[in-house]
Amino acid sequence: MTTALQLKPLAPLARTIAETVRDTPIRLGSPDGAADLVAQLTVNVAAYAGAQTLPLIDALRTVYSSMEASRPDEWAMEWLGDVWSTLPLDVRAVAGDEDAAAELSALVSEPAR
């Protein structure tokens, strides 16, 4: 019973996976059969996850806009800046922070060591 209650929030994800498995044609005996299913599952789960994160991204953009609007208020800017700086770089970039986006871009373009 406890497990069922813990998994209840994942029901839409489980439904996405089950529908993908049901609807994806698989060629038995072919090495590509499993690859086709994995590819379709990857796309469908990524689309599901993206849809679930859109409200969070919108909220982060609102927070960032509030930060920008509060620049004249030193106390508010200091507090928001402290909180903002604890967020991962990619999250700040998605929310509209151009400095974070530039820093992330620089990190991505650095050659591997």
Side-chain angles (χ1 to χ4, degrees):
M1 183 67 142
T2 303
T3 304
L5 290 175
Q6 291 170 338
L7 295 177
K8 189 174 183 176
L10 296 176
L13 175 59
R15 188 171 30 262
T16 297
I17 293 169
E19 289 171 358
T20 302
V21 170
R22 182 193 67 219
D23 297 342
T24 303
I26 300 172
R27 294 172 295 223
L28 296 176
S30 166
D32 295 331
D36 292 343
L37 178 58
V38 168
Q40 195 60 53
L41 273 170
T42 302
V43 168
N44 290 359
V45 169
Y48 169 84
Q52 298 303 306
T53 59
L54 286 178
L56 175 59
I57 291 170
D58 289 342
L60 286 170
R61 287 185 176 141
T62 300
V63 168
Y64 186 71
S65 295
S66 295
M67 281 179 56
E68 289 298 306
S70 69
R71 281 195 183 272
D73 183 343
E74 279 186 43
W75 180 87
M77 193 57 199
E78 182 178 334
W79 182 83
L80 283 169
D82 289 346
V83 172
W84 190 253
S85 66
T86 64
L87 295 174
L89 196 57
D90 55 337
V91 171
R92 290 183 279 152
V94 167
D97 187 334
E98 291 178 12
D99 292 336
E103 188 176 340
L104 185 61
S105 179
L107 285 173
V108 171
S109 63
E110 282 183 10
R113 297 174 198 204

